[in-house]
Amino acid sequence: MFERRVRILLVLLIVVALTMLGRAVQLQVSQAAHWRAVAGQTMNRSVLTETSRGRILDAKGRILAADVPCNDAAVAYWFITEEPDSDRLYDVARKLAQASTPNYFELSRDEQHKIVVSLLPAAREQLEQMWDTLASLGRVSRAEIDATRREIVDRVERRRRQVVKNRYDASMRVHEEQGLSPWWRRWLLGEADAPPELEAFEEAIAEELQAHVVLPAISTEVYNELRKRKDSLPGLELLASQTRSYPAANVTAHVVGFLDSVKIEDLKADPELQDQRRAYLPRDLIGRSGLEAVSERQLRGTRGRIDRDLERGEEVVAHEKVPGQDVHTTIDLELQRDLRNAFLNVTFPWPDEQDGRRKESVTGPMHGAVVVIDVPSGAIRGMATYPDFDPNTYAQNYPLLSIDDINLPLINRATSFAAVPGSTVKPIVGLAAATEGVHHAHGTILCDGYTYINGEKLEKHHRCWTASMFGGMGYDGHQIPWDDVHPTPRLNPGFDPPPGHLTLADAIQRSCNVFFHTLALRLGEPRLTKWFKAFGLGSPTGSGLPEKRGLLLEDLPEATRGNPRALQSYLLSAGTGQGYVQASPLQMANVAATLARGGVVIQPTLLAEQTSAAVAGKRDLKVDPEAMEMVRRGMAAAVQTRGGSGNSVDAYLPLAIAGKTGSAQAHRLSVPERDETGQILRDKDGREIWRQLRLSTRNNPNPEAPWYRRSNRESGDQQASQSHAWFIGYAPADNPKVAFAVLVEYGGSGGAVAGALA
């Protein structure tokens, strides 16, 4: 029995020995290359090298945004963490000991050690003082410095996760797997715990041995001051770097946009999270607005990677960094500059406080936007907004910019400000009526100053401003203000309308509300909305920038749409661009360009690479050609004849243009009340507290908003209704090359204010 047990035990020992021998052979022979590679990885460190962002260039190749050299203030990672590395802190204390102990080098090691240990609190205090010094010189708060430190730690931790994942994949031979599993994505973002086996791959990464930027793009003065104090600033390094520069500053701010630090939402939505050279890390910059955001993937470069062999002391460039691609925009910088500066010198006819008809022109800054479009291609040549901001100092000034409720400098009024367009939509209404067959292109409508519905005269509303609103002037002699015969002779060749009867050309020239109220009623809400949409209202133009879609009658609440009288009232208003109709300056510039092309729509573009495709995708709305000719005549006459609604424009221009004015009703301006910290105040029920701004008058301007002026002839300065001033058109009138739209907020008269600016 005993011998049998010995034999069994011997057999088991032989089996175990053979198994171990086989495993040894496998490790040393068949898997030798694999394990040599794994062993080699423990002696390797890889570090990512930052790349540069592509430039943004105007239509003529001038720089609108580019990376330029600068200096950064950086601190070694072992001091950035909440608990500084003890060995490095010991080194700081040793330097203090050497500086404060005259015979330090004559002491024994034990005595030196005791002195160094006694100075550890002083070393920690010196480190704390360094953060305060950086905050002071960088003109930021200590809280911001500490937040930056936390972001750096988060960045390094995310980088570590990516390195660990790569090592894990390499060792498990899963390089061929495509994409990220949901678990991997959550783990890389720090939202899931790692499995136990990943602990074997946790090693120091190169980023833990580097200095990280705490103050980017420091000034020359700060750089020199930090150099002088470097000995008392533990771990400080001054690094050559690059920063984003915007040479045109405010002029192109809203078009070009700005950069901002990535947020957790950006990290989660990153389509390249699994690519360590392209993936966002905390403290990376991302295009946050304008073309910087639109072209983010194209502008953003690809990091390089350097592999370091710690044993051999060698470095190998594993991947070269790839700069971002340049982006060519359609904007013309010089035109853009002229457009922006025009808002600094807007001519405003200020009404006399006793007699509103008497005006006195003043010149000064006004709020608004202007867009200029190349008619043949749809390329946007200029898109200016005022007030604006300097993207070079956006980060520093953001706390104040973001709470400027009166001026709203961060809003791109050209695309993200939708206002009632007023009479600028009248050409659309006229073309729609003729094309739908509800009014002939040469047909006339009698205007005695009032709209009629089934023979009923509307005396209190929906009147014509060119007649009833100027002192109830009748048509004896068929005159209107300015002693100009109505209709205008020679505006309708071969056809002489009866006195007081207007054709489409006459109605556009005079901006007669009655004419277009009548056409809106004949069209009805569905067809009117259909044509507004055909001309691009009610939806983004597709420029790429964030846009407000505006409003159309189809957006009315169901309760209102179900009320026939209410819907009829809104329909009448919509015929003259009032009420439940809103559009942005970009949309109205697109309308003007479509009219200039005879009813052909081309999507407006901001990127040169998209222009050809936009032209190829043009759409012909197939409007009534005779009506189109009448619209052209009317828009030219609006500017070039004495009775035109924009007749004050012509004297300013060296060429003939065609245009349409608009004076659109505007709400009184209200802003939220804020406390000294910038927080909005609330009442006892938690509702925000708002106040209405006082209107400026000629003798009593409002220092908060001198541009917010009483602009009409109504009595009662603070009760007077307000209007935004619009002007759209194209030039030259007989062979259009450019189209435009101008909006001046609270500018009152479209012809006198927006027209003069155009």
Side-chain angles (χ1 to χ4, degrees), residues 117-333:
V117 170
S118 70
L119 290 176
L120 283 174
R124 190 177 293 274
E125 179 61 26
Q126 187 181 61
L127 184 58
E128 283 299 306
Q129 289 176 356
M130 178 182 69
W131 301 126
D132 292 334
T133 298
L134 291 174
S136 175
L137 292 176
R139 296 184 179 180
V140 296
S141 67
R142 174 60 192 271
E144 290 175 281
I145 288 289
D146 290 340
T148 296
R149 291 167 59 196
R150 289 192 293 271
E151 289 173 356
I152 292 171
V153 172
D154 191 20
R155 177 188 179 93
V156 173
E157 180 57 31
R158 292 186 190 279
R159 168 73 176 133
R160 180 204 299 280
R161 289 174 180 271
Q162 185 69 62
V163 170
V164 169
K165 175 190 176 295
N166 292 343
R167 291 174 181 168
Y168 181 84
D169 284 350
S171 65
M172 300 303 290
R173 298 176 177 271
V174 292
H175 298 292
E176 297 79 16
E177 291 187 7
Q178 299 296 316
L180 288 176
S181 70
W183 179 86
W184 271 122
R185 180 175 286 274
R186 292 197 306 275
W187 184 72
L188 286 172
L189 289 167
E191 298 176 348
D193 294 329
E197 62 267 25
L198 281 186
E199 294 177 0
F201 300 89
E202 292 278 6
E203 297 178 18
I205 60 173
E207 282 75 7
E208 293 177 289
L209 309 176
Q210 293 177 323
H212 293 263
V213 176
V214 176
L215 292 178
I218 57 177
S219 67
T220 302
E221 293 75 18
V222 172
Y223 176 85
N224 291 334
E225 186 63 27
L226 289 175
R227 282 191 64 186
K228 287 191 296 185
R229 302 192 193 185
K230 198 169 185 299
D231 289 342
S232 63
L233 302 173
L236 177 70
E237 292 188 32
L238 298 174
L239 307 176
S241 184
Q242 55 190 9
T243 187
R244 200 66 165 167
S245 173
Y246 301 93
N250 300 57
V251 172
T252 57
H254 288 99
V255 176
V256 174
F258 55 86
L259 304 180
D260 192 16
S261 295
V262 297
K263 297 177 171 52
I264 186 62
E265 294 78 12
D266 303 311
L267 297 172
K268 288 183 176 180
D270 187 359
E272 296 176 296
L273 181 61
Q274 62 182 329
D275 184 346
Q276 62 173 323
R277 297 174 59 214
R278 291 277 295 176
Y280 290 113
L281 292 171
R283 307 206 74 222
D284 275 355
L285 296 177
I286 186 173
R288 191 61 73 192
S289 74
L291 292 173
E292 292 278 28
V294 171
S295 303
E296 170 63 18
R297 305 317 297 170
Q298 186 175 345
L299 289 165
R300 179 170 173 75
T302 301
R303 298 182 184 93
R305 198 187 88 206
I306 296 175
D307 291 341
R308 294 172 176 167
D309 188 321
L310 302 183
E311 184 178 20
R312 298 178 182 176
E314 297 176 350
E315 287 189 354
V316 176
V317 178
H319 295 284
E320 295 282 359
K321 59 185 179 183
V322 181
Q325 301 175 49
D326 289 345
V327 166
H328 295 262
T329 179
T330 60
I331 294 291
D332 183 308
L333 177 58

Side-chain angles (χ1 to χ4, degrees), residues 1-10:
M1 178 69 71
F2 176 76
E3 291 179 357
R4 197 175 76 158
R5 289 178 179 175
V6 171
R7 285 196 297 270
I8 293 174
L9 180 59
L10 183 60

Side-chain angles (χ1 to χ4, degrees), residues 635-644 646-647 650 655-658 733-734:
M635 290 181 67
V639 178
Q640 300 170 30
T641 65
R642 190 161 173 249
N647 67 358
D650 194 41
L655 77 169
I657 73 166
D734 58 349

Side-chain angles (χ1 to χ4, degrees), residues 621-643:
L621 300 180
K622 301 187 184 306
V623 298
D624 182 288
E626 290 183 281
M628 189 71 245
E629 177 58 27
M630 296 295 278
V631 166
R632 287 182 180 278
R633 288 179 176 275
M635 290 181 67
V639 178
Q640 300 170 30
T641 65
R642 190 161 173 249

Side-chain angles (χ1 to χ4, degrees), residues 546-743:
E547 297 183 38
K548 273 201 171 182
R549 59 172 290 268
L551 289 175
L552 296 175
L553 290 180
E554 65 180 9
D555 300 309
L556 280 167
E558 285 302 317
T560 304
R561 293 178 61 82
N563 183 330
R565 290 187 66 85
L567 183 59
Q568 184 182 77
S569 178
Y570 277 111
L571 179 59
L572 287 165
S573 296
T576 57
Q578 303 284 354
Y580 225 74
V581 179
Q582 290 185 357
S584 70
L586 176 56
Q587 288 173 323
M588 294 312 302
N590 191 35
V591 168
T594 300
L595 294 172
R597 300 185 200 103
V600 174
V601 179
I602 297 177
Q603 177 182 308
T605 55
L606 268 173
L607 296 175
E609 64 186 24
Q610 297 176 353
T611 302
S612 296
V615 173
K618 62 186 178 183
R619 293 181 295 111
D620 190 341
L621 300 180
K622 301 187 184 306
V623 298
D624 182 288
E626 290 183 281
M628 189 71 245
E629 177 58 27
M630 296 295 278
V631 166
R632 287 182 180 278
R633 288 179 176 275
M635 290 181 67
V639 178
Q640 300 170 30
T641 65
R642 190 161 173 249
S645 61
N647 67 358
S648 61
V649 175
D650 194 41
Y652 294 90
L653 301 173
L655 77 169
I657 73 166
K660 183 68 197 79
T661 60
S663 300
Q665 296 171 359
H667 294 293
R668 290 292 306 278
L669 188 57
S670 297
V671 296
E673 292 273 23
R674 294 181 183 269
D675 62 19
E676 61 277 4
T677 68
Q679 297 299 309
I680 296 178
L681 297 175
R682 298 178 180 272
D683 62 19
K684 61 181 181 180
D685 297 318
R687 293 171 297 194
E688 293 181 350
I689 300 175
W690 286 60
R691 63 185 174 91
Q692 197 172 77
L693 284 189
R694 177 176 65 82
L695 283 166
S696 292
T697 62
R698 189 162 58 189
N699 297 332
N700 188 19
N702 181 350
E704 283 188 297
W707 51 269
Y708 181 53
R709 303 178 173 111
R710 174 188 167 213
S711 60
N712 51 45
R713 62 187 180 88
E714 296 179 24
S715 60
D717 295 334
Q718 300 309 313
Q719 302 304 317
S721 62
Q722 296 302 106
S723 298
H724 296 317
W726 283 91
F727 190 75
I728 72 169
Y730 50 82
D734 58 349
N735 184 24
K737 294 293 190 293
V738 294
F740 56 84
V742 177
L743 167 66

